[in-house]
Amino acid sequence: MKAVRIHEFGGPEVLRYEDVPDPQPRKDQVLVRVKACAMNHLDIFVRTGIPGVTLPRILGSDIAGEIAEVGEYITGFKVGQRVLLAPMHFCNRCAKCGAGLQNQCREFTALGNGVDGGNCELIAVPAVNVIPIPDTLDFNQAASVPLVFLTAWHMLVGRASIRPGQTVLVLGAGSGVGIAAIQIAKLFSARVIATAGDESKLEKARALGADHGINHYKQKISQEVRAITNKEGVDIVFEHVGAATWDESMKSLKPNGTIVTCGATTGPEVKFDLRFLFARQLSFLGSYMGTLGELYEVLSHVFAGRLKPVVDRTFPLKDARTAHEYMAASQMFGKVVLNP
Ligand SMILES: [Zn+2]
């Protein structure tokens, strides 16, 4: 089959579109023909090199396709069925996995990170990863859901325990997680303040339900938040930007407020004054993807049409290099999807 692999870490030039042997599914696995694989910032981090990635590696976490083969030990699936894949690898036999806390398993990793992913034509996965999709979702839309909607759900619901009527500041509204967070927060009847780098992205964020928009290049986030909230601040800041926004995120919180973060796109090192943390009784929460149970929970809302994936544009898999360059330029609103 054809696949995009990296044999070394580096810029987009290390992505190689090449022939690799077809995966040979085990008797307890399902072979899926990949129709769409959505990109995430994780693809760029894996390409440039993060701990735990061995080479060569096929990138790509978010996969939708058709079942091509069903292992002998598996029941309940049939060839040709349209599915998406839970974007995670876990052992499925430790205390954490048994408790449904897959993202705390010692083997936990994303597809395309610690194990091979979906930038290819065929992928073999355990049956536990395979989730049928309704006809209302095309493959590009289905591939645009798993990682970002799961991540945003775990952040807001699993970690920050969002409650109806709260005010949520969503940074980077044009990103995949931002788009998911706006919609999930609205599902909980929260008031949403979204930030983005230009007016057209803010307009799209409002169309998804954001109540207020802040241009984070032209306006000072905490000042605008103060004005919008009548000096109160927000209950939850949805962070994934990191160094560039951390100060503003802290200053935007009301007393007892929470920052929940899943990433550090602009850099991982931040500073804060401990007196500010304890005196204002703030919470800083880390969040890493989510559990399989949470994936089913958020998918139920996607399948019912209450949460909507947003596809920015598609590229043929062979043009993965161009897609990486496009993504690094941050011009998109929604997901960039590769089609084998
Ligand atoms: Zn486990």
Side-chain angles (χ1 to χ4, degrees):
M1 66 167 178
K2 290 288 186 189
V4 172
R5 286 201 299 191
I6 55 168
H7 297 257
E8 59 189 316
F9 300 116
E13 70 281 357
V14 302
L15 298 164
R16 284 197 219 163
Y17 184 66
E18 59 188 2
D19 290 305
V20 303
D22 283 3
Q24 299 300 316
R26 302 187 314 244
K27 290 177 178 177
D28 62 344
Q29 286 187 320
V30 174
L31 186 69
V32 172
R33 183 165 296 283
V34 180
K35 297 288 189 180
C37 187
M39 290 184 60
N40 293 282
H41 278 289
L42 182 61
D43 296 273
I44 292 173
F45 298 141
V46 171
R47 192 199 70 211
T48 51
I50 49 175
V53 179
T54 55
L55 300 172
R57 172 68 69 231
I58 300 174
L59 306 182
S61 309
D62 276 329
I63 299 154
E66 272 173 10
I67 293 181
E69 206 178 308
V70 180
E72 188 185 331
Y73 298 165
I74 295 168
T75 54
F77 290 112
K78 56 178 191 290
V79 171
Q81 204 169 357
R82 302 170 74 251
V83 298
L84 63 75
L85 301 186
M88 56 180 88
H89 166 88
F90 49 94
C91 82
N92 214 13
R93 56 187 149 71
C94 71
K96 295 296 185 184
C97 286
L101 303 169
Q102 291 84 5
N103 58 344
Q104 293 177 37
C105 171
R106 288 180 65 167
E107 281 187 24
F108 187 79
T109 185
L111 302 185
N113 182 350
V115 296
D116 279 338
N119 283 357
C120 55
E121 293 176 304
L122 292 164
I123 183 169
V125 290
V128 68
N129 285 80
V130 183
I131 301 173
I133 55 173
D135 291 337
T136 47
L137 284 184
D138 66 31
F139 289 120
N140 292 327
Q141 292 170 322
S144 296
V145 174
L147 197 89
V148 287
F149 276 88
L150 172 58
T151 298
W153 186 272
H154 184 60
M155 287 171 75
L156 289 174
V157 185
R159 298 292 282 142
S161 304
I162 187 172
R163 291 166 66 179
Q166 288 189 319
T167 302
V168 181
L169 172 64
V170 176
L171 300 179
S175 65
V177 281
I179 286 168
I182 291 169
Q183 297 181 69
I184 291 166
K186 291 312 292 184
L187 198 63
F188 284 81
S189 304
R191 175 162 65 146
V192 175
I193 304 170
T195 84
D198 66 58
E199 197 44 48
S200 85
K201 287 183 182 180
L202 288 173
E203 202 47 56
K204 289 173 184 165
R206 286 190 194 95
L208 287 173
D211 300 280
H212 307 274
I214 298 173
N215 182 325
H216 54 222
Y217 292 134
K218 289 187 177 158
Q219 296 171 296
K220 203 165 164 58
I221 294 173
S222 60
Q223 265 175 19
E224 293 302 314
V225 165
R226 262 175 81 80
I228 292 165
T229 61
N230 196 21
K231 298 182 184 170
E232 267 203 328
V234 301
D235 297 282
I236 299 171
V237 178
F238 184 93
E239 250 288 353
H240 51 103
V241 182
T245 49
W246 189 264
D247 276 355
E248 289 300 300
S249 293
M250 278 196 315
K251 287 178 191 160
S252 298
L253 287 175
K254 66 167 71 161
N256 202 38
T258 298
I259 298 180
V260 59
T261 180
C262 71
T265 321
T266 60
E269 306 268 342
V270 297
K271 262 171 74 175
F272 61 86
D273 186 331
L274 277 170
R275 292 166 298 185
F276 193 73
L277 175 73
F278 68 69
R280 292 177 65 81
Q281 305 193 67
L282 307 179
S283 300
F284 297 166
L285 302 177
S287 190
Y288 191 61
M289 217 189 294
T291 70
L292 193 58
E294 287 172 321
L295 179 59
Y296 274 96
E297 207 174 359
V298 73
L299 283 176
S300 73
H301 296 290
V302 174
F303 293 167
R306 289 186 289 272
L307 299 173
K308 293 184 170 58
V310 177
V311 179
D312 176 85
R313 64 177 285 192
T314 63
F315 290 87
L317 179 61
K318 66 177 172 52
D319 297 335
R321 199 177 290 188
T322 317
H324 274 239
E325 286 161 356
Y326 176 73
M327 183 139 181
S330 282
Q331 291 311 302
M332 66 277 177
F333 187 94
K335 301 298 283 180
V336 178
V337 183
L338 298 172
N339 297 125

